[in-house]
Amino acid sequence: MKNKNIVTCKRAVWCGLVLAAILSFYKVENVQAGIVEANGDTDSYNIQQELNETGSVTLVKGATYRLYNSIILSSNMSIEADGATIICEKPIAFNIPETVDYNAAKNISINGGIWKSEYEGYYGSSFKFTHASDIKLTNMTIKAANLSGHSIELVACKNVVIDGCDIAGLGESESLTEEAIQIDIAFSRTAPYLSSIPFKTDLAETLWNNAGCRNITIKNNKIEGNRGVVANHTKYEEAINTIHENITITDNKITGLKGEGVVLFNTKSATVKNNKIKSLRKGISDAYTVGLHIATFSNDKALKKAVFKISGNTIYGGRQAVMVYSHSGVKFGKALIEKNKLFCKAGKDVAIHAKEQSINKVVIKSNNIKTYKDK
């Protein structure tokens, strides 16, 4: 009987140890998952602390979070926000660069979440990345920036994917040039924020290295702004020759409320495929009415190898539906414009402006072109 009791006791101890190990395992797993409960008052602090400690945050599905401070992102951080609502009346998230060459922050991802303002939106950029690389923004609803600002701003970034997002500006703005997604260069006029707190102000001169963006993929999104998507340029001599490289825009619905739907300035090579692109600007008098506007002001000889593939799109524009033009005299390499449905208010014969004065080789074929009128 004594031996049986000893065996039973040993078995109980063993079971207890196993149970403790299982509980300990799940406790560790919960910590690693980085689940942050919604609090309301300290959500910004709690999310930031978890990101700083583990690099990963999961927001609770169905919960509502209020950010009273911006989230500072750095390398190897991820936010899983599927089903959560995040309310913010200021910049939502950004990295603080301390180096250039796309090395300031790497491997950052945000998935899901309704990121919004309850009012007219913040008059700046909601999500901003500078000198960063390997960024993924997926399945997000972003309705937090005013139409006079940007929902997403990329400054000298590479290897960025924006996929499956619903993006729109809020409130009112008379500007023709502010866009929902801005692809920008690191220049004092285009990135002035680098000279103010919380950015490292003593590094501003170093960070203004005039670099452009590379390998930007925008797909499966609904995007609406005064302009939809813009690869930006500057007229100032210090950075007028900066170029962006390899931009892919596919399967999106993109609307410019007061200007073009898509603008690609100073861009070496782009694929624009299977999108619905529209400029809602009335009339036919200026370039802001163009649906897809591709142009260069740069003298960079690399543009001679630029290739633009524009196919399978439905594009609405005023003066032109599609424009590919060089203002600098440097010709693009090739433009292929085929199998698009093009609607142009100015007439069928001017729906496409892509000529050999601006492009070494132009292929235009199998496009269905119609006219339409302002409502």
Side-chain angles (χ1 to χ4, degrees):
M1 190 70 179
K2 184 177 179 181
N3 290 338
K4 185 177 181 180
N5 287 338
I6 291 173
V7 171
T8 301
C9 182
K10 287 182 177 179
R11 183 176 298 163
V13 170
W14 181 82
C15 289
L17 291 172
V18 171
L19 179 60
I22 291 172
L23 291 175
S24 175
F25 171 80
Y26 278 110
K27 185 176 180 181
V28 170
E29 285 297 295
N30 283 335
V31 170
Q32 290 178 342
I35 297 174
V36 174
E37 301 283 347
N39 178 281
D41 294 328
T42 61
D43 289 336
S44 301
Y45 175 82
N46 295 341
I47 291 170
Q48 190 68 64
Q49 285 296 103
E50 191 64 42
L51 284 172
N52 292 346
E53 290 177 10
T54 69
S56 176
V57 161
T58 298
L59 304 184
V60 178
K61 191 171 186 176
T64 297
Y65 297 77
R66 290 185 178 272
L67 305 184
Y68 293 103
N69 293 297
S70 303
I71 298 170
I72 309 301
L73 297 169
S74 56
S75 294
N76 303 313
M77 286 187 173
S78 66
I79 299 175
E80 174 58 56
D82 180 39
T85 298
I86 305 95
I87 299 169
C88 190
E89 308 300 338
K90 56 174 59 179
I92 295 175
F94 54 85
N95 71 297
I96 298 178
E98 297 185 30
T99 187
V100 295
D101 297 329
Y102 312 105
N103 289 317
K106 297 181 178 180
N107 190 31
I108 296 173
S109 65
I110 304 175
N111 180 66
I114 300 172
W115 305 80
K116 70 173 189 174
S117 163
E118 291 182 322
Y119 304 101
E120 293 186 350
Y122 172 70
Y123 286 76
S125 299
S126 290
F127 292 88
K128 183 182 298 182
F129 299 93
T130 309
H131 292 296
S133 62
D134 301 308
I135 309 298
K136 290 185 179 180
L137 306 177
T138 55
N139 305 313
M140 303 166 70
T141 296
I142 306 174
K143 298 184 179 179
N146 187 269
L147 282 168
S148 63
H150 312 298
S151 294
I152 299 172
E153 182 176 1
L154 307 172
V155 178
C157 291
K158 76 172 184 178
N159 303 339
V160 178
V161 175
I162 302 171
D163 183 5
C165 296
D166 184 355
I167 301 167
L170 302 178
E172 297 291 333
S173 169
E174 294 302 317
S175 172
L176 304 178
T177 59
E178 300 302 331
E179 46 276 339
I181 298 178
Q182 184 185 60
I183 300 167
D184 216 340
I185 61 179
F187 175 62
S188 59
R189 299 276 182 162
T190 57
Y193 60 86
L194 292 173
S195 62
S196 60
I197 295 173
F199 295 90
K200 306 296 178 65
T201 58
D202 59 320
L203 296 178
E205 293 291 336
T206 300
L207 299 174
W208 287 326
N209 69 339
N210 302 336
C213 290
R214 299 178 181 175
N215 306 334
I216 308 299
T217 299
I218 300 170
K219 61 182 180 178
N220 306 314
N221 304 286
K222 180 180 178 183
I223 301 166
E224 185 177 283
N226 282 347
R227 279 167 154 174
V229 176
V230 174
N232 201 18
H233 86 294
T234 179
K235 64 182 180 181
Y236 294 95
E237 290 185 5
E238 300 95 320
I240 194 171
N241 290 321
T242 297
I243 62 174
H244 307 288
E245 298 185 33
N246 191 27
I247 297 176
T248 301
I249 302 173
T250 59
D251 298 295
N252 303 281
K253 182 179 179 181
I254 305 174
T255 303
L257 299 174
K258 297 182 183 296
E260 305 100 317
V262 174
V263 181
L264 301 176
F265 287 146
N266 288 14
T267 297
K268 179 190 173 185
S269 298
T271 297
V272 182
K273 184 177 180 180
N274 296 341
N275 303 281
K276 185 173 182 179
I277 299 170
K278 183 180 289 189
S279 169
L280 296 185
R281 181 167 172 79
K282 294 186 181 300
I284 60 173
S285 63
D286 56 45
Y288 295 114
T289 67
V290 177
L292 171 59
H293 184 182
I294 299 174
T296 186
F297 303 83
S298 173
N299 286 309
D300 192 322
K301 298 301 187 292
L303 293 171
K304 292 181 178 181
K305 295 184 178 180
V307 176
F308 299 105
K309 298 177 181 179
I310 303 164
S311 65
N313 303 284
T314 299
I315 304 176
Y316 290 78
R319 195 181 73 182
Q320 290 96 22
V322 177
M323 178 179 182
V324 183
Y325 188 78
S326 174
H327 294 272
S328 68
V330 175
K331 288 186 178 184
F332 294 118
K334 181 179 179 180
L336 172 63
I337 305 170
E338 65 173 348
K339 297 181 181 179
N340 300 284
K341 295 180 180 179
L342 305 178
F343 297 82
C344 181
K345 287 181 283 188
K348 292 182 180 180
D349 56 334
V350 293
I352 300 173
H353 185 96
K355 303 187 182 219
E356 291 183 356
Q357 70 187 64
S358 296
I359 313 155
N360 282 317
K361 184 176 181 180
V362 183
V363 179
I364 300 173
K365 63 181 181 180
S366 304
N367 297 287
N368 184 359
I369 303 175
K370 298 180 179 180
T371 61
Y372 74 109
K373 296 181 179 180
D374 286 321
K375 293 181 179 180

